[in-house]
Amino acid sequence: MSRVIVVGGGAAGMMAAISAAQEGRQVTILEKNEKLGKKLFITGKGRCNVTSACPPEEFLSHVVSNSRFLFSSFSRFNNEDMMHFLEKAGLAIKTERGQRVFPQSDKSSDVIHVLKRECEKGKVRILYHEKVTELLFDAEGKRCRGVRLENGKNMDADAVILACGGCSYASTGSDGEGWHLARSAGHKIREPQPSLVPFEMEESWCKDLMGLTLKNISMRIRAEKKTIYEGFGEFLFTHFGVSGPLVLTASTCFGSYQKELSEGKLYLYLDLKPSLTPEQVEKRFLREFDTYRNKNISNVMERLLPRRMVPVFLNIVNIPEDRKVREISKKERHRMIDEMKNLKMHITGVRGFNEAIVTRGGVSVKEVDPSTMESKKKKNLYFAGEMLDLDAVTGGYNLQIAWTTGFAAGKNAGK
């Protein structure tokens, strides 16, 4: 019986093992942690956003890097296939706002349990605390024939699948070591960068608003005179800057703007009232000012902004909190309207891999067969998941990349 070794027991690794076992192969997962799915366990804040329920024909438009590479494998195992797989395996799922799919229990552990059970059905052997340090090749160096473990033991195989993860959340085992193995096989690695990651901001007042979430706001990012991102959604202030779904999605556009990011040339603009035109905002101001002309401006602004944001906003526009509304000049009112519609902030950097949900970069997809996930450099060597130079926006898309590439790698290694 043909033997398949899967290096890494995360999302892509487990799916690869399951699909290889379905081909009747003897499969072994080598996992350096003490359990499977360690990163999967913490995704979606422990709820695990397993995929997106968007129409399959729309799915690849949400993939940021190398979406065309996924055409073939996605046509064989897409997001609808994954949902069907989970339900057939006994996991009840639900679809929430933004077409995000979660286990009905809201427990990522249930997703891991189902995948592990499917591995057991296929008689997949799982070895824990086993770190792979080297790939083994035939005498001509053309075929991968197995792996060497940290303890010096060699394990032979007819196919090896590398599903070692990227660099994000290194504490879960995703420390980039898989790329050293890929390099040893002659593969180019596109420089890894954190993606789906919060921003660090110059404005110290972000710390004063730590924990405040703004919903239904509009945000754009500019690199000097060019708008590189525009979006609408949920925005969160933190002690170091900003985060939230809107920010995380925006971070996916930074791959082409690393120079501007490092030189501090990226700026973020918030529209706190996106449903209103500047003229409509002014009418609202005039109505409130006329009704409450004898009150302090801070009291009136609480009718227009979240309470915690009022003192920060008034400080930005340089108006004392105890100024009476009747004393606000037309010029000051216009300044407030301008800031409400176009609040400018300076991006100084992004957080590191430990706070990045995924990694941008990895094994060059030009050197991998898009139908099979097999290396074009070495026969019988396959890649899956975050090791590949593939990444997408937030919302279950990145996990689906893991399921899709894992399925393809396992099926074809099994054949």
Side-chain angles (χ1 to χ4, degrees):
M1 182 183 286
S2 295
R3 294 160 297 175
V4 176
I5 286 176
V6 181
V7 184
M14 285 188 279
M15 181 55 75
I18 291 165
S19 58
Q22 287 172 347
E23 295 298 309
R25 302 301 172 229
Q26 186 184 84
V27 183
T28 300
I29 292 177
L30 299 176
E31 171 54 59
K32 64 182 177 182
N33 287 317
E34 74 285 358
K35 58 185 177 183
L36 297 176
K38 211 165 179 183
K39 183 178 176 184
L40 198 57
F41 182 73
I42 63 173
T43 59
K45 297 179 181 175
R47 295 176 64 217
C48 194
N49 181 188
V50 287
T51 190
S52 168
C54 78
E57 60 270 19
E58 188 187 294
F59 186 94
L60 294 180
S61 67
H62 300 281
V63 177
V64 179
S65 303
N66 301 310
S67 61
R68 290 181 63 84
F69 175 82
L70 287 169
F71 282 1
S72 178
S73 58
F74 189 73
S75 69
R76 293 184 178 89
F77 191 80
N78 62 30
N79 52 327
E80 289 182 348
D81 296 323
M82 185 60 193
M83 289 186 278
H84 178 69
F85 168 85
L86 291 172
E87 289 175 324
K88 189 179 176 184
L91 182 72
I93 57 177
K94 60 182 178 179
T95 302
E96 295 187 357
R97 181 174 56 86
Q99 298 179 311
R100 296 168 188 250
V101 179
F102 292 90
Q104 217 162 73
S105 64
D106 283 331
K107 293 180 179 177
S108 57
S109 56
D110 287 347
V111 179
I112 298 167
H113 178 71
V114 160
L115 293 167
K116 187 177 179 184
R117 193 168 63 213
E118 290 299 303
C119 284
E120 290 166 352
K121 277 186 191 176
K123 296 183 169 56
V124 174
R125 186 169 61 144
I126 304 169
L127 302 180
Y128 299 104
H129 301 291
E130 293 290 6
K131 183 177 178 181
V132 173
T133 57
E134 191 178 336
L135 295 175
L136 304 177
F137 303 101
D138 64 7
E140 295 177 341
K142 293 182 178 180
R143 292 176 179 270
C144 185
R145 64 170 183 82
V147 299
R148 178 165 292 145
L149 303 179
E150 192 173 39
N151 60 16
K153 179 184 175 184
N154 289 348
M155 290 184 70
D156 294 330
D158 299 288
V160 173
I161 302 171
L162 294 182
C164 312
C167 283
S168 53
Y169 296 114
S171 59
T172 65
S174 295
D175 53 10
E177 286 187 351
W179 290 320
H180 294 303
L181 299 176
R183 281 193 187 95
S184 74
H187 281 274
K188 293 177 184 174
I189 308 299
R190 181 188 170 198
E191 184 186 356
Q193 299 164 354
S195 191
L196 293 184
V197 63
F199 302 168
E200 294 177 344
M201 309 300 289
E202 184 178 275
E203 287 71 22
S204 59
W205 49 259
C206 287
K207 190 173 183 179
D208 299 330
L209 299 176
M210 182 173 63
L212 175 66
T213 297
L214 302 179
K215 296 184 178 181
N216 303 320
I217 68 158
S218 179
M219 182 186 84
R220 61 196 169 92
I221 296 173
R222 289 178 65 82
E224 296 182 330
K225 295 181 179 181
K226 182 182 179 182
T227 297
I228 64 172
Y229 176 83
E230 286 186 87
F232 178 86
E234 195 170 294
F235 183 94
L236 171 70
F237 290 101
T238 69
H239 66 285
F240 54 77
V242 297
S243 187
L246 191 54
V247 168
L248 298 181
T249 297
S251 72
T252 61
C253 74
F254 285 176
S256 304
Y257 294 92
Q258 290 300 304
K259 185 172 182 286
E260 289 84 351
L261 181 64
S262 64
E263 293 176 355
K265 293 180 180 177
L266 294 183
Y267 291 88
L268 182 157
Y269 296 82
L270 286 182
D271 184 345
L272 302 173
K273 296 291 180 184
S275 62
L276 302 176
T277 64
E279 293 75 24
Q280 288 171 325
V281 174
E282 179 161 38
K283 284 181 181 178
R284 176 79 189 274
F285 265 77
L286 289 171
R287 190 167 65 246
E288 297 290 349
F289 280 22
D290 189 52
T291 305
Y292 302 103
R293 61 190 315 273
N294 293 318
K295 286 188 174 291
N296 290 345
I297 185 62
S298 59
N299 298 128
V300 177
M301 289 306 296
E302 287 179 9
R303 302 174 62 83
L304 299 164
L305 292 172
R307 180 176 292 180
R308 280 185 63 195
M309 197 167 187
V310 170
V312 169
F313 182 82
L314 290 175
N315 187 53
I316 290 169
V317 295
N318 198 28
I319 296 175
E321 292 180 54
D322 59 357
R323 175 85 67 83
K324 296 299 180 187
V325 171
R326 64 177 182 270
E327 297 170 355
I328 302 294
S329 69
K330 182 179 179 180
K331 185 178 179 181
E332 288 173 323
R333 188 177 75 244
H334 283 170
R335 189 162 72 237
M336 294 167 77
I337 294 167
D338 288 343
E339 290 292 347
M340 195 168 280
K341 293 293 292 178
N342 217 28
L343 181 58
K344 183 179 180 181
M345 302 171 69
H346 186 193
I347 301 169
T348 56
V350 296
R351 302 298 275 179
F353 283 111
N354 275 337
E355 292 180 52
I357 295 175
V358 297
T359 303
R360 180 191 301 114
V363 175
S364 170
V365 295
K366 293 177 181 177
E367 301 173 347
V368 178
D369 186 315
S371 297
T372 64
M373 300 299 139
E374 186 176 19
S375 165
K376 292 179 180 178
K377 300 279 188 179
K378 307 288 182 184
K379 297 295 291 180
N380 304 340
L381 176 64
Y382 298 79
F383 299 98
E386 213 174 338
M387 281 204 65
L388 292 160
D389 183 14
L390 298 165
D391 66 280
V393 299
T394 183
Y397 301 101
N398 288 284
L399 260 182
Q400 183 59 50
I401 291 173
W403 309 132
T404 293
T405 56
F407 180 86
K411 278 289 174 195
N412 290 286
K415 290 176 181 175

PDB file of all heavy atoms in Angstrom, residues 10-39:
ATOM      1  N   GLY A  10      -2.737  20.833  10.969  1.00  0.00           N
ATOM      2  CA  GLY A  10      -3.699  21.932  11.038  1.00  0.00           C
ATOM      3  C   GLY A  10      -4.849  21.694  10.076  1.00  0.00           C
ATOM      4  O   GLY A  10      -5.119  20.557   9.673  1.00  0.00           O
ATOM      5  N   ALA A  11      -5.529  22.766   9.694  1.00  0.00           N
ATOM      6  CA  ALA A  11      -6.688  22.640   8.815  1.00  0.00           C
ATOM      7  C   ALA A  11      -6.327  21.962   7.495  1.00  0.00           C
ATOM      8  O   ALA A  11      -6.949  20.973   7.094  1.00  0.00           O
ATOM      9  CB  ALA A  11      -7.279  24.022   8.559  1.00  0.00           C
ATOM     10  N   ALA A  12      -5.329  22.500   6.797  1.00  0.00           N
ATOM     11  CA  ALA A  12      -4.935  21.935   5.501  1.00  0.00           C
ATOM     12  C   ALA A  12      -4.393  20.519   5.650  1.00  0.00           C
ATOM     13  O   ALA A  12      -4.683  19.643   4.828  1.00  0.00           O
ATOM     14  CB  ALA A  12      -3.897  22.836   4.838  1.00  0.00           C
ATOM     15  N   GLY A  13      -3.609  20.299   6.695  1.00  0.00           N
ATOM     16  CA  GLY A  13      -3.013  18.982   6.918  1.00  0.00           C
ATOM     17  C   GLY A  13      -4.048  17.903   7.177  1.00  0.00           C
ATOM     18  O   GLY A  13      -3.981  16.802   6.618  1.00  0.00           O
ATOM     19  N   MET A  14      -5.019  18.207   8.025  1.00  0.00           N
ATOM     20  CA  MET A  14      -6.063  17.214   8.314  1.00  0.00           C
ATOM     21  C   MET A  14      -6.892  16.911   7.078  1.00  0.00           C
ATOM     22  O   MET A  14      -7.222  15.759   6.792  1.00  0.00           O
ATOM     23  CB  MET A  14      -6.943  17.690   9.467  1.00  0.00           C
ATOM     24  CG  MET A  14      -6.279  17.584  10.832  1.00  0.00           C
ATOM     25  SD  MET A  14      -7.400  17.922  12.220  1.00  0.00           S
ATOM     26  CE  MET A  14      -7.399  19.721  12.223  1.00  0.00           C
ATOM     27  N   MET A  15      -7.245  17.967   6.313  1.00  0.00           N
ATOM     28  CA  MET A  15      -8.018  17.734   5.098  1.00  0.00           C
ATOM     29  C   MET A  15      -7.222  16.928   4.089  1.00  0.00           C
ATOM     30  O   MET A  15      -7.755  16.044   3.412  1.00  0.00           O
ATOM     31  CB  MET A  15      -8.456  19.070   4.496  1.00  0.00           C
ATOM     32  CG  MET A  15      -9.289  18.928   3.228  1.00  0.00           C
ATOM     33  SD  MET A  15     -10.767  17.876   3.436  1.00  0.00           S
ATOM     34  CE  MET A  15     -11.820  19.019   4.348  1.00  0.00           C
ATOM     35  N   ALA A  16      -5.926  17.211   3.976  1.00  0.00           N
ATOM     36  CA  ALA A  16      -5.067  16.448   3.068  1.00  0.00           C
ATOM     37  C   ALA A  16      -5.019  14.981   3.478  1.00  0.00           C
ATOM     38  O   ALA A  16      -5.103  14.078   2.629  1.00  0.00           O
ATOM     39  CB  ALA A  16      -3.656  17.050   3.048  1.00  0.00           C
ATOM     40  N   ALA A  17      -4.895  14.734   4.769  1.00  0.00           N
ATOM     41  CA  ALA A  17      -4.835  13.356   5.270  1.00  0.00           C
ATOM     42  C   ALA A  17      -6.139  12.615   5.001  1.00  0.00           C
ATOM     43  O   ALA A  17      -6.139  11.454   4.580  1.00  0.00           O
ATOM     44  CB  ALA A  17      -4.530  13.372   6.766  1.00  0.00           C
ATOM     45  N   ILE A  18      -7.263  13.291   5.219  1.00  0.00           N
ATOM     46  CA  ILE A  18      -8.577  12.674   5.002  1.00  0.00           C
ATOM     47  C   ILE A  18      -8.753  12.301   3.532  1.00  0.00           C
ATOM     48  O   ILE A  18      -9.172  11.187   3.204  1.00  0.00           O
ATOM     49  CB  ILE A  18      -9.701  13.628   5.458  1.00  0.00           C
ATOM     50  CG1 ILE A  18      -9.682  13.779   6.987  1.00  0.00           C
ATOM     51  CG2 ILE A  18     -11.077  13.131   5.004  1.00  0.00           C
ATOM     52  CD1 ILE A  18     -10.498  14.964   7.508  1.00  0.00           C
ATOM     53  N   SER A  19      -8.433  13.234   2.640  1.00  0.00           N
ATOM     54  CA  SER A  19      -8.653  12.968   1.212  1.00  0.00           C
ATOM     55  C   SER A  19      -7.674  11.928   0.670  1.00  0.00           C
ATOM     56  O   SER A  19      -8.020  11.136  -0.219  1.00  0.00           O
ATOM     57  CB  SER A  19      -8.602  14.254   0.386  1.00  0.00           C
ATOM     58  OG  SER A  19      -7.376  14.914   0.528  1.00  0.00           O
ATOM     59  N   ALA A  20      -6.440  11.870   1.195  1.00  0.00           N
ATOM     60  CA  ALA A  20      -5.483  10.835   0.777  1.00  0.00           C
ATOM     61  C   ALA A  20      -5.946   9.463   1.256  1.00  0.00           C
ATOM     62  O   ALA A  20      -5.855   8.465   0.528  1.00  0.00           O
ATOM     63  CB  ALA A  20      -4.096  11.154   1.310  1.00  0.00           C
ATOM     64  N   ALA A  21      -6.463   9.419   2.479  1.00  0.00           N
ATOM     65  CA  ALA A  21      -6.955   8.153   3.035  1.00  0.00           C
ATOM     66  C   ALA A  21      -8.170   7.644   2.249  1.00  0.00           C
ATOM     67  O   ALA A  21      -8.354   6.430   2.092  1.00  0.00           O
ATOM     68  CB  ALA A  21      -7.316   8.335   4.503  1.00  0.00           C
ATOM     69  N   GLN A  22      -8.975   8.576   1.735  1.00  0.00           N
ATOM     70  CA  GLN A  22     -10.140   8.183   0.931  1.00  0.00           C
ATOM     71  C   GLN A  22      -9.722   7.498  -0.368  1.00  0.00           C
ATOM     72  O   GLN A  22     -10.522   6.794  -0.983  1.00  0.00           O
ATOM     73  CB  GLN A  22     -11.003   9.412   0.622  1.00  0.00           C
ATOM     74  CG  GLN A  22     -11.785   9.924   1.821  1.00  0.00           C
ATOM     75  CD  GLN A  22     -12.484  11.247   1.553  1.00  0.00           C
ATOM     76  OE1 GLN A  22     -12.210  11.923   0.548  1.00  0.00           O
ATOM     77  NE2 GLN A  22     -13.383  11.643   2.447  1.00  0.00           N
ATOM     78  N   GLU A  23      -8.476   7.726  -0.778  1.00  0.00           N
ATOM     79  CA  GLU A  23      -7.945   7.057  -1.969  1.00  0.00           C
ATOM     80  C   GLU A  23      -7.354   5.690  -1.620  1.00  0.00           C
ATOM     81  O   GLU A  23      -6.753   5.030  -2.463  1.00  0.00           O
ATOM     82  CB  GLU A  23      -6.861   7.926  -2.623  1.00  0.00           C
ATOM     83  CG  GLU A  23      -7.370   9.247  -3.178  1.00  0.00           C
ATOM     84  CD  GLU A  23      -8.395   9.044  -4.267  1.00  0.00           C
ATOM     85  OE1 GLU A  23      -8.135   8.270  -5.211  1.00  0.00           O
ATOM     86  OE2 GLU A  23      -9.481   9.668  -4.169  1.00  0.00           O
ATOM     87  N   GLY A  24      -7.516   5.268  -0.364  1.00  0.00           N
ATOM     88  CA  GLY A  24      -7.053   3.956   0.061  1.00  0.00           C
ATOM     89  C   GLY A  24      -5.589   3.896   0.435  1.00  0.00           C
ATOM     90  O   GLY A  24      -4.981   2.821   0.458  1.00  0.00           O
ATOM     91  N   ARG A  25      -5.004   5.070   0.743  1.00  0.00           N
ATOM     92  CA  ARG A  25      -3.585   5.102   1.074  1.00  0.00           C
ATOM     93  C   ARG A  25      -3.350   5.003   2.592  1.00  0.00           C
ATOM     94  O   ARG A  25      -4.214   5.324   3.404  1.00  0.00           O
ATOM     95  CB  ARG A  25      -2.947   6.398   0.555  1.00  0.00           C
ATOM     96  CG  ARG A  25      -3.085   6.589  -0.934  1.00  0.00           C
ATOM     97  CD  ARG A  25      -2.460   5.449  -1.726  1.00  0.00           C
ATOM     98  NE  ARG A  25      -2.763   5.549  -3.144  1.00  0.00           N
ATOM     99  CZ  ARG A  25      -3.226   4.544  -3.885  1.00  0.00           C
ATOM    100  NH1 ARG A  25      -3.460   3.372  -3.320  1.00  0.00           N
ATOM    101  NH2 ARG A  25      -3.461   4.701  -5.164  1.00  0.00           N
ATOM    102  N   GLN A  26      -2.141   4.559   2.918  1.00  0.00           N
ATOM    103  CA  GLN A  26      -1.715   4.521   4.318  1.00  0.00           C
ATOM    104  C   GLN A  26      -1.147   5.900   4.650  1.00  0.00           C
ATOM    105  O   GLN A  26      -0.110   6.285   4.113  1.00  0.00           O
ATOM    106  CB  GLN A  26      -0.648   3.436   4.491  1.00  0.00           C
ATOM    107  CG  GLN A  26      -0.220   3.202   5.921  1.00  0.00           C
ATOM    108  CD  GLN A  26       0.899   2.176   5.969  1.00  0.00           C
ATOM    109  OE1 GLN A  26       2.069   2.516   5.800  1.00  0.00           O
ATOM    110  NE2 GLN A  26       0.539   0.915   6.164  1.00  0.00           N
ATOM    111  N   VAL A  27      -1.831   6.631   5.509  1.00  0.00           N
ATOM    112  CA  VAL A  27      -1.482   8.040   5.745  1.00  0.00           C
ATOM    113  C   VAL A  27      -0.988   8.252   7.177  1.00  0.00           C
ATOM    114  O   VAL A  27      -1.575   7.729   8.131  1.00  0.00           O
ATOM    115  CB  VAL A  27      -2.700   8.959   5.485  1.00  0.00           C
ATOM    116  CG1 VAL A  27      -2.309  10.430   5.664  1.00  0.00           C
ATOM    117  CG2 VAL A  27      -3.259   8.725   4.086  1.00  0.00           C
ATOM    118  N   THR A  28       0.061   9.058   7.297  1.00  0.00           N
ATOM    119  CA  THR A  28       0.589   9.435   8.611  1.00  0.00           C
ATOM    120  C   THR A  28       0.682  10.951   8.696  1.00  0.00           C
ATOM    121  O   THR A  28       1.232  11.594   7.798  1.00  0.00           O
ATOM    122  CB  THR A  28       1.993   8.848   8.843  1.00  0.00           C
ATOM    123  OG1 THR A  28       1.919   7.426   8.766  1.00  0.00           O
ATOM    124  CG2 THR A  28       2.523   9.252  10.218  1.00  0.00           C
ATOM    125  N   ILE A  29       0.119  11.525   9.769  1.00  0.00           N
ATOM    126  CA  ILE A  29       0.293  12.951  10.051  1.00  0.00           C
ATOM    127  C   ILE A  29       1.412  13.089  11.075  1.00  0.00           C
ATOM    128  O   ILE A  29       1.393  12.438  12.125  1.00  0.00           O
ATOM    129  CB  ILE A  29      -0.995  13.583  10.631  1.00  0.00           C
ATOM    130  CG1 ILE A  29      -2.106  13.619   9.589  1.00  0.00           C
ATOM    131  CG2 ILE A  29      -0.714  15.008  11.130  1.00  0.00           C
ATOM    132  CD1 ILE A  29      -3.429  14.176  10.126  1.00  0.00           C
ATOM    133  N   LEU A  30       2.393  13.939  10.752  1.00  0.00           N
ATOM    134  CA  LEU A  30       3.461  14.261  11.703  1.00  0.00           C
ATOM    135  C   LEU A  30       3.189  15.660  12.246  1.00  0.00           C
ATOM    136  O   LEU A  30       3.264  16.650  11.522  1.00  0.00           O
ATOM    137  CB  LEU A  30       4.821  14.220  11.003  1.00  0.00           C
ATOM    138  CG  LEU A  30       5.218  12.869  10.397  1.00  0.00           C
ATOM    139  CD1 LEU A  30       6.537  12.993   9.648  1.00  0.00           C
ATOM    140  CD2 LEU A  30       5.316  11.797  11.483  1.00  0.00           C
ATOM    141  N   GLU A  31       2.846  15.734  13.519  1.00  0.00           N
ATOM    142  CA  GLU A  31       2.478  16.998  14.163  1.00  0.00           C
ATOM    143  C   GLU A  31       3.440  17.271  15.310  1.00  0.00           C
ATOM    144  O   GLU A  31       3.606  16.442  16.205  1.00  0.00           O
ATOM    145  CB  GLU A  31       1.034  16.905  14.681  1.00  0.00           C
ATOM    146  CG  GLU A  31       0.586  18.071  15.556  1.00  0.00           C
ATOM    147  CD  GLU A  31       0.789  19.423  14.884  1.00  0.00           C
ATOM    148  OE1 GLU A  31       0.219  19.663  13.800  1.00  0.00           O
ATOM    149  OE2 GLU A  31       1.529  20.235  15.475  1.00  0.00           O
ATOM    150  N   LYS A  32       4.086  18.446  15.276  1.00  0.00           N
ATOM    151  CA  LYS A  32       5.082  18.737  16.320  1.00  0.00           C
ATOM    152  C   LYS A  32       4.448  19.178  17.630  1.00  0.00           C
ATOM    153  O   LYS A  32       5.105  19.154  18.681  1.00  0.00           O
ATOM    154  CB  LYS A  32       6.086  19.774  15.831  1.00  0.00           C
ATOM    155  CG  LYS A  32       5.533  21.138  15.538  1.00  0.00           C
ATOM    156  CD  LYS A  32       6.656  22.015  15.013  1.00  0.00           C
ATOM    157  CE  LYS A  32       6.165  23.386  14.630  1.00  0.00           C
ATOM    158  NZ  LYS A  32       7.249  24.223  14.072  1.00  0.00           N
ATOM    159  N   ASN A  33       3.178  19.582  17.604  1.00  0.00           N
ATOM    160  CA  ASN A  33       2.475  19.919  18.844  1.00  0.00           C
ATOM    161  C   ASN A  33       1.945  18.671  19.531  1.00  0.00           C
ATOM    162  O   ASN A  33       2.074  17.557  19.022  1.00  0.00           O
ATOM    163  CB  ASN A  33       1.313  20.878  18.540  1.00  0.00           C
ATOM    164  CG  ASN A  33       1.796  22.275  18.198  1.00  0.00           C
ATOM    165  OD1 ASN A  33       2.696  22.808  18.839  1.00  0.00           O
ATOM    166  ND2 ASN A  33       1.208  22.860  17.158  1.00  0.00           N
ATOM    167  N   GLU A  34       1.280  18.906  20.664  1.00  0.00           N
ATOM    168  CA  GLU A  34       0.716  17.804  21.443  1.00  0.00           C
ATOM    169  C   GLU A  34      -0.701  17.450  21.005  1.00  0.00           C
ATOM    170  O   GLU A  34      -1.302  16.490  21.499  1.00  0.00           O
ATOM    171  CB  GLU A  34       0.730  18.155  22.940  1.00  0.00           C
ATOM    172  CG  GLU A  34      -0.306  19.177  23.386  1.00  0.00           C
ATOM    173  CD  GLU A  34       0.011  20.618  22.983  1.00  0.00           C
ATOM    174  OE1 GLU A  34       1.072  20.868  22.375  1.00  0.00           O
ATOM    175  OE2 GLU A  34      -0.824  21.490  23.281  1.00  0.00           O
ATOM    176  N   LYS A  35      -1.248  18.230  20.070  1.00  0.00           N
ATOM    177  CA  LYS A  35      -2.604  17.956  19.574  1.00  0.00           C
ATOM    178  C   LYS A  35      -2.775  18.558  18.190  1.00  0.00           C
ATOM    179  O   LYS A  35      -1.971  19.393  17.747  1.00  0.00           O
ATOM    180  CB  LYS A  35      -3.642  18.526  20.537  1.00  0.00           C
ATOM    181  CG  LYS A  35      -3.528  20.020  20.777  1.00  0.00           C
ATOM    182  CD  LYS A  35      -4.519  20.471  21.846  1.00  0.00           C
ATOM    183  CE  LYS A  35      -4.354  21.962  22.152  1.00  0.00           C
ATOM    184  NZ  LYS A  35      -5.251  22.392  23.235  1.00  0.00           N
ATOM    185  N   LEU A  36      -3.838  18.158  17.522  1.00  0.00           N
ATOM    186  CA  LEU A  36      -4.138  18.666  16.188  1.00  0.00           C
ATOM    187  C   LEU A  36      -4.866  20.004  16.263  1.00  0.00           C
ATOM    188  O   LEU A  36      -5.523  20.319  17.261  1.00  0.00           O
ATOM    189  CB  LEU A  36      -5.024  17.668  15.428  1.00  0.00           C
ATOM    190  CG  LEU A  36      -4.456  16.279  15.132  1.00  0.00           C
ATOM    191  CD1 LEU A  36      -5.522  15.414  14.466  1.00  0.00           C
ATOM    192  CD2 LEU A  36      -3.224  16.363  14.245  1.00  0.00           C
ATOM    193  N   GLY A  37      -4.768  20.765  15.183  1.00  0.00           N
ATOM    194  CA  GLY A  37      -5.587  21.968  15.023  1.00  0.00           C
ATOM    195  C   GLY A  37      -5.405  23.052  16.060  1.00  0.00           C
ATOM    196  O   GLY A  37      -6.356  23.723  16.435  1.00  0.00           O
ATOM    197  N   LYS A  38      -4.163  23.264  16.489  1.00  0.00           N
ATOM    198  CA  LYS A  38      -3.932  24.242  17.546  1.00  0.00           C
ATOM    199  C   LYS A  38      -4.289  25.663  17.113  1.00  0.00           C
ATOM    200  O   LYS A  38      -4.873  26.427  17.878  1.00  0.00           O
ATOM    201  CB  LYS A  38      -2.461  24.182  17.996  1.00  0.00           C
ATOM    202  CG  LYS A  38      -2.269  24.544  19.457  1.00  0.00           C
ATOM    203  CD  LYS A  38      -0.904  24.121  19.963  1.00  0.00           C
ATOM    204  CE  LYS A  38      -0.743  24.520  21.427  1.00  0.00           C
ATOM    205  NZ  LYS A  38       0.595  24.174  21.921  1.00  0.00           N
ATOM    206  N   LYS A  39      -3.957  26.020  15.874  1.00  0.00           N
ATOM    207  CA  LYS A  39      -4.321  27.348  15.383  1.00  0.00           C
ATOM    208  C   LYS A  39      -5.812  27.412  15.057  1.00  0.00           C
ATOM    209  O   LYS A  39      -6.474  28.426  15.289  1.00  0.00           O
ATOM    210  CB  LYS A  39      -3.492  27.709  14.150  1.00  0.00           C
ATOM    211  CG  LYS A  39      -3.783  29.120  13.641  1.00  0.00           C
ATOM    212  CD  LYS A  39      -2.926  29.500  12.455  1.00  0.00           C
ATOM    213  CE  LYS A  39      -3.319  30.858  11.916  1.00  0.00           C
ATOM    214  NZ  LYS A  39      -2.574  31.209  10.696  1.00  0.00           N
TER     215      LYS A  39
END
